[in-house]
Amino acid sequence: APPAAPAASEPINWGAAAAPAAPAAPAAVSAAPVAPATPAVSTPAVGGGGGAASAESAIATLSTSQAASVDKIASAIGPDLELKPDLSWTAETVGGSAATLDGREAPGANGNVAWLANVNVDGTMSSLTIFNGPLTDVPHLLSRAVIVGGGRDSIRFTLDFRPRAYGAYEMRDSDGNYPGPDVLGRDAFTYSGNRNDFDGKFGNEEVAAFVEGLKGALEGGVVNDSAPSELDSLTRGPLYIDITCPLTEGNVAAINNARSQAADYWLSWAMDGSHAHRPGAPVNSQYVYDSKYKINSYGALLEEYKELFGGDGVKLAAAESGPLDEAYVGGGS
């Protein structure tokens, strides 16, 4: 098993003092190939049909589909997406179940993946995490399905396209409004600009409708609206969705289709050269932001996995989070 990740730092306040200068950013390599067309989106079909599903068959179905999505990503990026055997799992155990982790990275400009983790816990969870490198502003991807409930008769689906610049999303009120200059000063304009940039490039009407449609696509689905932890609130994007629904064949199929669609969205963005940063300061700034963001994400995941898997959640959170930049652990913001 890989070494444990460093302990998570205190939550990073993005509105605080400027971050330390970033180390030199990786050199860009050859331009990415022509991006695939953005996938067409249809209104998700309502799940629930087909009767009850077993936890084992549901996770097997979702993990097989997830592996196909990773294969599709690998085919598009090519050999630049390298398997990291030292950070992958082939024969671990989590919560008494066999667990595997396929870890990869593509540090060059073609795809620019800082860390991809394809995780499977037999009969319990299928999770895909992608952290992007600093050469682009493509959102990180979180796509997870986990069996829950005392009778293991429910499935929890979490999906998020995670912005690459701070937008004060945790400050959004119940009406969807954000603090203005009277609260945040001139930073309010910076954060608003970051939100508008994300909405225009990634969280547009089509993608927002796709995510919103999931709420009605899962029969008996209930949106988990409990208050997030501080770390969780700092890492969620505006399209974050977390739904628990009965474990039925129809709901499993709907979740499966949604996860494939989300991975296709991510791939279309990652292969689109228009999302690349200009060399220099933008890449350095992205590197600093991403380094801190991944530490917060690890801390949030650690809390969640300890609740789900007990002591085994510690090693799983460390492995799925991938390499962290220790230079920023516990550092000032």
PDB file of all heavy atoms in Angstrom, residues 224-262:
ATOM      1  N   ASN A 224     -29.425  15.059  -0.055  1.00  0.00           N
ATOM      2  CA  ASN A 224     -28.808  15.168   1.263  1.00  0.00           C
ATOM      3  C   ASN A 224     -28.437  16.622   1.515  1.00  0.00           C
ATOM      4  O   ASN A 224     -27.469  17.133   0.951  1.00  0.00           O
ATOM      5  CB  ASN A 224     -27.561  14.276   1.334  1.00  0.00           C
ATOM      6  CG  ASN A 224     -27.891  12.822   1.079  1.00  0.00           C
ATOM      7  OD1 ASN A 224     -28.864  12.312   1.603  1.00  0.00           O
ATOM      8  ND2 ASN A 224     -27.083  12.148   0.265  1.00  0.00           N
ATOM      9  N   ASP A 225     -29.234  17.278   2.336  1.00  0.00           N
ATOM     10  CA  ASP A 225     -29.051  18.715   2.558  1.00  0.00           C
ATOM     11  C   ASP A 225     -28.536  19.039   3.952  1.00  0.00           C
ATOM     12  O   ASP A 225     -28.680  20.170   4.421  1.00  0.00           O
ATOM     13  CB  ASP A 225     -30.358  19.466   2.299  1.00  0.00           C
ATOM     14  CG  ASP A 225     -31.518  18.945   3.143  1.00  0.00           C
ATOM     15  OD1 ASP A 225     -31.290  18.046   3.977  1.00  0.00           O
ATOM     16  OD2 ASP A 225     -32.655  19.452   2.978  1.00  0.00           O
ATOM     17  N   SER A 226     -27.924  18.068   4.619  1.00  0.00           N
ATOM     18  CA  SER A 226     -27.352  18.355   5.934  1.00  0.00           C
ATOM     19  C   SER A 226     -26.178  19.304   5.778  1.00  0.00           C
ATOM     20  O   SER A 226     -25.519  19.355   4.726  1.00  0.00           O
ATOM     21  CB  SER A 226     -26.901  17.055   6.609  1.00  0.00           C
ATOM     22  OG  SER A 226     -25.965  16.374   5.799  1.00  0.00           O
ATOM     23  N   ALA A 227     -25.907  20.077   6.811  1.00  0.00           N
ATOM     24  CA  ALA A 227     -24.844  21.077   6.747  1.00  0.00           C
ATOM     25  C   ALA A 227     -23.493  20.397   6.535  1.00  0.00           C
ATOM     26  O   ALA A 227     -23.138  19.460   7.261  1.00  0.00           O
ATOM     27  CB  ALA A 227     -24.819  21.893   8.034  1.00  0.00           C
ATOM     28  N   PRO A 228     -22.728  20.837   5.550  1.00  0.00           N
ATOM     29  CA  PRO A 228     -21.416  20.225   5.312  1.00  0.00           C
ATOM     30  C   PRO A 228     -20.409  20.652   6.358  1.00  0.00           C
ATOM     31  O   PRO A 228     -20.583  21.671   7.037  1.00  0.00           O
ATOM     32  CB  PRO A 228     -21.038  20.762   3.926  1.00  0.00           C
ATOM     33  CG  PRO A 228     -21.705  22.099   3.860  1.00  0.00           C
ATOM     34  CD  PRO A 228     -23.000  21.935   4.602  1.00  0.00           C
ATOM     35  N   SER A 229     -19.347  19.884   6.482  1.00  0.00           N
ATOM     36  CA  SER A 229     -18.246  20.309   7.335  1.00  0.00           C
ATOM     37  C   SER A 229     -17.573  21.526   6.706  1.00  0.00           C
ATOM     38  O   SER A 229     -17.798  21.852   5.538  1.00  0.00           O
ATOM     39  CB  SER A 229     -17.222  19.175   7.473  1.00  0.00           C
ATOM     40  OG  SER A 229     -16.574  18.939   6.234  1.00  0.00           O
ATOM     41  N   GLU A 230     -16.741  22.184   7.487  1.00  0.00           N
ATOM     42  CA  GLU A 230     -16.069  23.380   6.965  1.00  0.00           C
ATOM     43  C   GLU A 230     -15.206  23.040   5.753  1.00  0.00           C
ATOM     44  O   GLU A 230     -15.221  23.751   4.743  1.00  0.00           O
ATOM     45  CB  GLU A 230     -15.215  24.021   8.058  1.00  0.00           C
ATOM     46  CG  GLU A 230     -14.537  25.317   7.611  1.00  0.00           C
ATOM     47  CD  GLU A 230     -13.758  25.996   8.715  1.00  0.00           C
ATOM     48  OE1 GLU A 230     -13.645  25.399   9.809  1.00  0.00           O
ATOM     49  OE2 GLU A 230     -13.254  27.103   8.483  1.00  0.00           O
ATOM     50  N   LEU A 231     -14.458  21.947   5.851  1.00  0.00           N
ATOM     51  CA  LEU A 231     -13.607  21.559   4.724  1.00  0.00           C
ATOM     52  C   LEU A 231     -14.438  21.191   3.513  1.00  0.00           C
ATOM     53  O   LEU A 231     -14.101  21.536   2.375  1.00  0.00           O
ATOM     54  CB  LEU A 231     -12.711  20.387   5.126  1.00  0.00           C
ATOM     55  CG  LEU A 231     -11.541  20.708   6.046  1.00  0.00           C
ATOM     56  CD1 LEU A 231     -10.901  19.428   6.562  1.00  0.00           C
ATOM     57  CD2 LEU A 231     -10.505  21.559   5.330  1.00  0.00           C
ATOM     58  N   ASP A 232     -15.538  20.483   3.738  1.00  0.00           N
ATOM     59  CA  ASP A 232     -16.398  20.083   2.626  1.00  0.00           C
ATOM     60  C   ASP A 232     -16.984  21.310   1.942  1.00  0.00           C
ATOM     61  O   ASP A 232     -17.056  21.378   0.706  1.00  0.00           O
ATOM     62  CB  ASP A 232     -17.507  19.169   3.140  1.00  0.00           C
ATOM     63  CG  ASP A 232     -18.039  18.226   2.072  1.00  0.00           C
ATOM     64  OD1 ASP A 232     -17.407  18.132   1.002  1.00  0.00           O
ATOM     65  OD2 ASP A 232     -19.065  17.588   2.298  1.00  0.00           O
ATOM     66  N   SER A 233     -17.404  22.282   2.724  1.00  0.00           N
ATOM     67  CA  SER A 233     -18.007  23.482   2.136  1.00  0.00           C
ATOM     68  C   SER A 233     -17.001  24.254   1.296  1.00  0.00           C
ATOM     69  O   SER A 233     -17.369  24.914   0.320  1.00  0.00           O
ATOM     70  CB  SER A 233     -18.585  24.378   3.234  1.00  0.00           C
ATOM     71  OG  SER A 233     -17.562  24.957   4.033  1.00  0.00           O
ATOM     72  N   LEU A 234     -15.725  24.184   1.654  1.00  0.00           N
ATOM     73  CA  LEU A 234     -14.699  24.915   0.916  1.00  0.00           C
ATOM     74  C   LEU A 234     -14.321  24.239  -0.401  1.00  0.00           C
ATOM     75  O   LEU A 234     -13.678  24.861  -1.249  1.00  0.00           O
ATOM     76  CB  LEU A 234     -13.439  25.061   1.779  1.00  0.00           C
ATOM     77  CG  LEU A 234     -13.532  26.046   2.949  1.00  0.00           C
ATOM     78  CD1 LEU A 234     -12.312  25.924   3.846  1.00  0.00           C
ATOM     79  CD2 LEU A 234     -13.682  27.478   2.445  1.00  0.00           C
ATOM     80  N   THR A 235     -14.709  22.987  -0.576  1.00  0.00           N
ATOM     81  CA  THR A 235     -14.306  22.264  -1.785  1.00  0.00           C
ATOM     82  C   THR A 235     -15.461  22.004  -2.747  1.00  0.00           C
ATOM     83  O   THR A 235     -15.237  21.616  -3.891  1.00  0.00           O
ATOM     84  CB  THR A 235     -13.658  20.918  -1.414  1.00  0.00           C
ATOM     85  OG1 THR A 235     -14.541  20.170  -0.572  1.00  0.00           O
ATOM     86  CG2 THR A 235     -12.346  21.140  -0.670  1.00  0.00           C
ATOM     87  N   ARG A 236     -16.698  22.213  -2.310  1.00  0.00           N
ATOM     88  CA  ARG A 236     -17.850  21.971  -3.186  1.00  0.00           C
ATOM     89  C   ARG A 236     -17.989  23.058  -4.244  1.00  0.00           C
ATOM     90  O   ARG A 236     -17.766  24.238  -3.981  1.00  0.00           O
ATOM     91  CB  ARG A 236     -19.137  21.919  -2.374  1.00  0.00           C
ATOM     92  CG  ARG A 236     -19.260  20.716  -1.469  1.00  0.00           C
ATOM     93  CD  ARG A 236     -20.608  20.707  -0.757  1.00  0.00           C
ATOM     94  NE  ARG A 236     -20.750  19.565   0.137  1.00  0.00           N
ATOM     95  CZ  ARG A 236     -21.845  19.291   0.833  1.00  0.00           C
ATOM     96  NH1 ARG A 236     -22.906  20.087   0.744  1.00  0.00           N
ATOM     97  NH2 ARG A 236     -21.887  18.223   1.618  1.00  0.00           N
ATOM     98  N   GLY A 237     -18.388  22.640  -5.443  1.00  0.00           N
ATOM     99  CA  GLY A 237     -18.681  23.582  -6.500  1.00  0.00           C
ATOM    100  C   GLY A 237     -20.161  23.907  -6.537  1.00  0.00           C
ATOM    101  O   GLY A 237     -20.970  23.312  -5.808  1.00  0.00           O
ATOM    102  N   PRO A 238     -20.576  24.826  -7.411  1.00  0.00           N
ATOM    103  CA  PRO A 238     -21.980  25.248  -7.460  1.00  0.00           C
ATOM    104  C   PRO A 238     -22.923  24.177  -8.009  1.00  0.00           C
ATOM    105  O   PRO A 238     -24.132  24.266  -7.798  1.00  0.00           O
ATOM    106  CB  PRO A 238     -21.945  26.464  -8.379  1.00  0.00           C
ATOM    107  CG  PRO A 238     -20.752  26.223  -9.272  1.00  0.00           C
ATOM    108  CD  PRO A 238     -19.746  25.563  -8.378  1.00  0.00           C
ATOM    109  N   LEU A 239     -22.382  23.163  -8.682  1.00  0.00           N
ATOM    110  CA  LEU A 239     -23.218  22.105  -9.249  1.00  0.00           C
ATOM    111  C   LEU A 239     -23.213  20.838  -8.401  1.00  0.00           C
ATOM    112  O   LEU A 239     -23.760  19.813  -8.817  1.00  0.00           O
ATOM    113  CB  LEU A 239     -22.752  21.775 -10.671  1.00  0.00           C
ATOM    114  CG  LEU A 239     -22.816  22.924 -11.672  1.00  0.00           C
ATOM    115  CD1 LEU A 239     -22.280  22.480 -13.031  1.00  0.00           C
ATOM    116  CD2 LEU A 239     -24.235  23.451 -11.811  1.00  0.00           C
ATOM    117  N   TYR A 240     -22.620  20.910  -7.238  1.00  0.00           N
ATOM    118  CA  TYR A 240     -22.534  19.748  -6.350  1.00  0.00           C
ATOM    119  C   TYR A 240     -23.918  19.157  -6.093  1.00  0.00           C
ATOM    120  O   TYR A 240     -24.876  19.880  -5.815  1.00  0.00           O
ATOM    121  CB  TYR A 240     -21.910  20.174  -5.025  1.00  0.00           C
ATOM    122  CG  TYR A 240     -21.860  19.094  -3.962  1.00  0.00           C
ATOM    123  CD1 TYR A 240     -20.764  18.244  -3.869  1.00  0.00           C
ATOM    124  CD2 TYR A 240     -22.902  18.928  -3.054  1.00  0.00           C
ATOM    125  CE1 TYR A 240     -20.703  17.259  -2.896  1.00  0.00           C
ATOM    126  CE2 TYR A 240     -22.851  17.943  -2.077  1.00  0.00           C
ATOM    127  CZ  TYR A 240     -21.747  17.119  -2.002  1.00  0.00           C
ATOM    128  OH  TYR A 240     -21.697  16.146  -1.039  1.00  0.00           O
ATOM    129  N   ILE A 241     -24.002  17.822  -6.188  1.00  0.00           N
ATOM    130  CA  ILE A 241     -25.261  17.144  -5.920  1.00  0.00           C
ATOM    131  C   ILE A 241     -24.969  15.860  -5.155  1.00  0.00           C
ATOM    132  O   ILE A 241     -23.990  15.163  -5.426  1.00  0.00           O
ATOM    133  CB  ILE A 241     -26.038  16.858  -7.223  1.00  0.00           C
ATOM    134  CG1 ILE A 241     -27.463  16.397  -6.906  1.00  0.00           C
ATOM    135  CG2 ILE A 241     -25.313  15.851  -8.096  1.00  0.00           C
ATOM    136  CD1 ILE A 241     -28.377  16.413  -8.118  1.00  0.00           C
ATOM    137  N   ASP A 242     -25.814  15.571  -4.171  1.00  0.00           N
ATOM    138  CA  ASP A 242     -25.630  14.413  -3.298  1.00  0.00           C
ATOM    139  C   ASP A 242     -27.019  13.857  -3.008  1.00  0.00           C
ATOM    140  O   ASP A 242     -27.812  14.483  -2.309  1.00  0.00           O
ATOM    141  CB  ASP A 242     -24.928  14.863  -2.022  1.00  0.00           C
ATOM    142  CG  ASP A 242     -24.590  13.716  -1.079  1.00  0.00           C
ATOM    143  OD1 ASP A 242     -24.791  12.553  -1.471  1.00  0.00           O
ATOM    144  OD2 ASP A 242     -24.125  13.989   0.048  1.00  0.00           O
ATOM    145  N   ILE A 243     -27.326  12.687  -3.565  1.00  0.00           N
ATOM    146  CA  ILE A 243     -28.675  12.118  -3.486  1.00  0.00           C
ATOM    147  C   ILE A 243     -28.596  10.678  -2.987  1.00  0.00           C
ATOM    148  O   ILE A 243     -27.746   9.898  -3.426  1.00  0.00           O
ATOM    149  CB  ILE A 243     -29.364  12.121  -4.868  1.00  0.00           C
ATOM    150  CG1 ILE A 243     -29.479  13.545  -5.414  1.00  0.00           C
ATOM    151  CG2 ILE A 243     -30.744  11.492  -4.796  1.00  0.00           C
ATOM    152  CD1 ILE A 243     -30.053  13.607  -6.821  1.00  0.00           C
ATOM    153  N   THR A 244     -29.504  10.328  -2.077  1.00  0.00           N
ATOM    154  CA  THR A 244     -29.653   8.942  -1.647  1.00  0.00           C
ATOM    155  C   THR A 244     -31.001   8.427  -2.129  1.00  0.00           C
ATOM    156  O   THR A 244     -32.020   9.112  -1.997  1.00  0.00           O
ATOM    157  CB  THR A 244     -29.570   8.822  -0.115  1.00  0.00           C
ATOM    158  OG1 THR A 244     -28.276   9.270   0.329  1.00  0.00           O
ATOM    159  CG2 THR A 244     -29.773   7.379   0.332  1.00  0.00           C
ATOM    160  N   CYS A 245     -31.009   7.236  -2.706  1.00  0.00           N
ATOM    161  CA  CYS A 245     -32.236   6.669  -3.263  1.00  0.00           C
ATOM    162  C   CYS A 245     -32.267   5.164  -3.026  1.00  0.00           C
ATOM    163  O   CYS A 245     -31.242   4.551  -2.708  1.00  0.00           O
ATOM    164  CB  CYS A 245     -32.341   6.981  -4.753  1.00  0.00           C
ATOM    165  SG  CYS A 245     -30.980   6.315  -5.745  1.00  0.00           S
ATOM    166  N   PRO A 246     -33.434   4.552  -3.181  1.00  0.00           N
ATOM    167  CA  PRO A 246     -33.528   3.100  -3.025  1.00  0.00           C
ATOM    168  C   PRO A 246     -32.625   2.373  -4.016  1.00  0.00           C
ATOM    169  O   PRO A 246     -32.420   2.836  -5.151  1.00  0.00           O
ATOM    170  CB  PRO A 246     -35.009   2.801  -3.302  1.00  0.00           C
ATOM    171  CG  PRO A 246     -35.710   4.088  -2.999  1.00  0.00           C
ATOM    172  CD  PRO A 246     -34.764   5.164  -3.416  1.00  0.00           C
ATOM    173  N   LEU A 247     -32.094   1.250  -3.587  1.00  0.00           N
ATOM    174  CA  LEU A 247     -31.211   0.459  -4.431  1.00  0.00           C
ATOM    175  C   LEU A 247     -32.051  -0.418  -5.354  1.00  0.00           C
ATOM    176  O   LEU A 247     -32.387  -1.553  -5.034  1.00  0.00           O
ATOM    177  CB  LEU A 247     -30.286  -0.400  -3.560  1.00  0.00           C
ATOM    178  CG  LEU A 247     -29.240  -1.246  -4.289  1.00  0.00           C
ATOM    179  CD1 LEU A 247     -28.357  -0.378  -5.176  1.00  0.00           C
ATOM    180  CD2 LEU A 247     -28.392  -2.013  -3.278  1.00  0.00           C
ATOM    181  N   THR A 248     -32.408   0.152  -6.510  1.00  0.00           N
ATOM    182  CA  THR A 248     -33.185  -0.574  -7.508  1.00  0.00           C
ATOM    183  C   THR A 248     -32.390  -0.639  -8.805  1.00  0.00           C
ATOM    184  O   THR A 248     -31.468   0.163  -9.034  1.00  0.00           O
ATOM    185  CB  THR A 248     -34.528   0.112  -7.788  1.00  0.00           C
ATOM    186  OG1 THR A 248     -34.268   1.404  -8.389  1.00  0.00           O
ATOM    187  CG2 THR A 248     -35.333   0.307  -6.505  1.00  0.00           C
ATOM    188  N   GLU A 249     -32.768  -1.561  -9.662  1.00  0.00           N
ATOM    189  CA  GLU A 249     -32.078  -1.693 -10.941  1.00  0.00           C
ATOM    190  C   GLU A 249     -32.206  -0.426 -11.772  1.00  0.00           C
ATOM    191  O   GLU A 249     -31.257  -0.003 -12.447  1.00  0.00           O
ATOM    192  CB  GLU A 249     -32.629  -2.895 -11.703  1.00  0.00           C
ATOM    193  CG  GLU A 249     -32.295  -4.234 -11.057  1.00  0.00           C
ATOM    194  CD  GLU A 249     -32.883  -5.408 -11.821  1.00  0.00           C
ATOM    195  OE1 GLU A 249     -33.618  -5.169 -12.808  1.00  0.00           O
ATOM    196  OE2 GLU A 249     -32.609  -6.556 -11.444  1.00  0.00           O
ATOM    197  N   GLY A 250     -33.395   0.199 -11.737  1.00  0.00           N
ATOM    198  CA  GLY A 250     -33.595   1.423 -12.502  1.00  0.00           C
ATOM    199  C   GLY A 250     -32.738   2.564 -11.995  1.00  0.00           C
ATOM    200  O   GLY A 250     -32.170   3.330 -12.783  1.00  0.00           O
ATOM    201  N   ASN A 251     -32.640   2.723 -10.672  1.00  0.00           N
ATOM    202  CA  ASN A 251     -31.810   3.788 -10.118  1.00  0.00           C
ATOM    203  C   ASN A 251     -30.327   3.540 -10.385  1.00  0.00           C
ATOM    204  O   ASN A 251     -29.572   4.479 -10.661  1.00  0.00           O
ATOM    205  CB  ASN A 251     -32.060   3.924  -8.615  1.00  0.00           C
ATOM    206  CG  ASN A 251     -33.324   4.695  -8.300  1.00  0.00           C
ATOM    207  OD1 ASN A 251     -33.844   5.446  -9.130  1.00  0.00           O
ATOM    208  ND2 ASN A 251     -33.842   4.524  -7.089  1.00  0.00           N
ATOM    209  N   VAL A 252     -29.913   2.295 -10.312  1.00  0.00           N
ATOM    210  CA  VAL A 252     -28.515   1.974 -10.632  1.00  0.00           C
ATOM    211  C   VAL A 252     -28.218   2.331 -12.086  1.00  0.00           C
ATOM    212  O   VAL A 252     -27.172   2.921 -12.403  1.00  0.00           O
ATOM    213  CB  VAL A 252     -28.219   0.488 -10.362  1.00  0.00           C
ATOM    214  CG1 VAL A 252     -26.838   0.106 -10.910  1.00  0.00           C
ATOM    215  CG2 VAL A 252     -28.291   0.197  -8.866  1.00  0.00           C
ATOM    216  N   ALA A 253     -29.144   2.018 -12.992  1.00  0.00           N
ATOM    217  CA  ALA A 253     -28.950   2.343 -14.408  1.00  0.00           C
ATOM    218  C   ALA A 253     -28.881   3.853 -14.623  1.00  0.00           C
ATOM    219  O   ALA A 253     -28.049   4.345 -15.398  1.00  0.00           O
ATOM    220  CB  ALA A 253     -30.078   1.738 -15.244  1.00  0.00           C
ATOM    221  N   ALA A 254     -29.746   4.602 -13.933  1.00  0.00           N
ATOM    222  CA  ALA A 254     -29.746   6.057 -14.076  1.00  0.00           C
ATOM    223  C   ALA A 254     -28.447   6.660 -13.551  1.00  0.00           C
ATOM    224  O   ALA A 254     -27.872   7.580 -14.158  1.00  0.00           O
ATOM    225  CB  ALA A 254     -30.953   6.650 -13.346  1.00  0.00           C
ATOM    226  N   ILE A 255     -27.972   6.164 -12.405  1.00  0.00           N
ATOM    227  CA  ILE A 255     -26.706   6.649 -11.848  1.00  0.00           C
ATOM    228  C   ILE A 255     -25.556   6.288 -12.779  1.00  0.00           C
ATOM    229  O   ILE A 255     -24.648   7.099 -13.029  1.00  0.00           O
ATOM    230  CB  ILE A 255     -26.485   6.064 -10.442  1.00  0.00           C
ATOM    231  CG1 ILE A 255     -27.490   6.669  -9.458  1.00  0.00           C
ATOM    232  CG2 ILE A 255     -25.054   6.314  -9.958  1.00  0.00           C
ATOM    233  CD1 ILE A 255     -27.485   6.000  -8.089  1.00  0.00           C
ATOM    234  N   ASN A 256     -25.595   5.095 -13.310  1.00  0.00           N
ATOM    235  CA  ASN A 256     -24.551   4.652 -14.228  1.00  0.00           C
ATOM    236  C   ASN A 256     -24.468   5.564 -15.449  1.00  0.00           C
ATOM    237  O   ASN A 256     -23.376   5.997 -15.859  1.00  0.00           O
ATOM    238  CB  ASN A 256     -24.839   3.215 -14.656  1.00  0.00           C
ATOM    239  CG  ASN A 256     -23.638   2.522 -15.256  1.00  0.00           C
ATOM    240  OD1 ASN A 256     -22.512   2.731 -14.812  1.00  0.00           O
ATOM    241  ND2 ASN A 256     -23.873   1.697 -16.263  1.00  0.00           N
ATOM    242  N   ASN A 257     -25.622   5.880 -16.039  1.00  0.00           N
ATOM    243  CA  ASN A 257     -25.648   6.762 -17.208  1.00  0.00           C
ATOM    244  C   ASN A 257     -25.147   8.159 -16.865  1.00  0.00           C
ATOM    245  O   ASN A 257     -24.415   8.785 -17.638  1.00  0.00           O
ATOM    246  CB  ASN A 257     -27.068   6.840 -17.767  1.00  0.00           C
ATOM    247  CG  ASN A 257     -27.518   5.544 -18.405  1.00  0.00           C
ATOM    248  OD1 ASN A 257     -26.700   4.712 -18.803  1.00  0.00           O
ATOM    249  ND2 ASN A 257     -28.835   5.346 -18.505  1.00  0.00           N
ATOM    250  N   ALA A 258     -25.540   8.658 -15.687  1.00  0.00           N
ATOM    251  CA  ALA A 258     -25.122  10.002 -15.278  1.00  0.00           C
ATOM    252  C   ALA A 258     -23.617  10.067 -15.069  1.00  0.00           C
ATOM    253  O   ALA A 258     -22.959  11.049 -15.464  1.00  0.00           O
ATOM    254  CB  ALA A 258     -25.852  10.399 -14.004  1.00  0.00           C
ATOM    255  N   ARG A 259     -23.047   9.040 -14.490  1.00  0.00           N
ATOM    256  CA  ARG A 259     -21.608   9.039 -14.239  1.00  0.00           C
ATOM    257  C   ARG A 259     -20.824   8.966 -15.558  1.00  0.00           C
ATOM    258  O   ARG A 259     -19.776   9.622 -15.706  1.00  0.00           O
ATOM    259  CB  ARG A 259     -21.232   7.880 -13.319  1.00  0.00           C
ATOM    260  CG  ARG A 259     -21.887   7.958 -11.947  1.00  0.00           C
ATOM    261  CD  ARG A 259     -21.447   6.824 -11.042  1.00  0.00           C
ATOM    262  NE  ARG A 259     -20.101   7.066 -10.564  1.00  0.00           N
ATOM    263  CZ  ARG A 259     -19.173   6.128 -10.396  1.00  0.00           C
ATOM    264  NH1 ARG A 259     -19.447   4.879 -10.740  1.00  0.00           N
ATOM    265  NH2 ARG A 259     -17.990   6.435  -9.934  1.00  0.00           N
ATOM    266  N   SER A 260     -21.319   8.192 -16.499  1.00  0.00           N
ATOM    267  CA  SER A 260     -20.669   8.134 -17.812  1.00  0.00           C
ATOM    268  C   SER A 260     -20.746   9.482 -18.506  1.00  0.00           C
ATOM    269  O   SER A 260     -19.777   9.949 -19.115  1.00  0.00           O
ATOM    270  CB  SER A 260     -21.327   7.052 -18.677  1.00  0.00           C
ATOM    271  OG  SER A 260     -21.143   5.767 -18.135  1.00  0.00           O
ATOM    272  N   GLN A 261     -21.906  10.124 -18.401  1.00  0.00           N
ATOM    273  CA  GLN A 261     -22.092  11.443 -19.015  1.00  0.00           C
ATOM    274  C   GLN A 261     -21.139  12.464 -18.402  1.00  0.00           C
ATOM    275  O   GLN A 261     -20.518  13.272 -19.103  1.00  0.00           O
ATOM    276  CB  GLN A 261     -23.535  11.897 -18.803  1.00  0.00           C
ATOM    277  CG  GLN A 261     -23.867  13.262 -19.395  1.00  0.00           C
ATOM    278  CD  GLN A 261     -24.285  13.174 -20.839  1.00  0.00           C
ATOM    279  OE1 GLN A 261     -25.308  12.594 -21.163  1.00  0.00           O
ATOM    280  NE2 GLN A 261     -23.485  13.746 -21.709  1.00  0.00           N
ATOM    281  N   ALA A 262     -21.013  12.431 -17.074  1.00  0.00           N
ATOM    282  CA  ALA A 262     -20.138  13.378 -16.377  1.00  0.00           C
ATOM    283  C   ALA A 262     -18.680  13.176 -16.802  1.00  0.00           C
ATOM    284  O   ALA A 262     -17.946  14.152 -17.027  1.00  0.00           O
ATOM    285  CB  ALA A 262     -20.281  13.206 -14.869  1.00  0.00           C
TER     286      ALA A 262
END
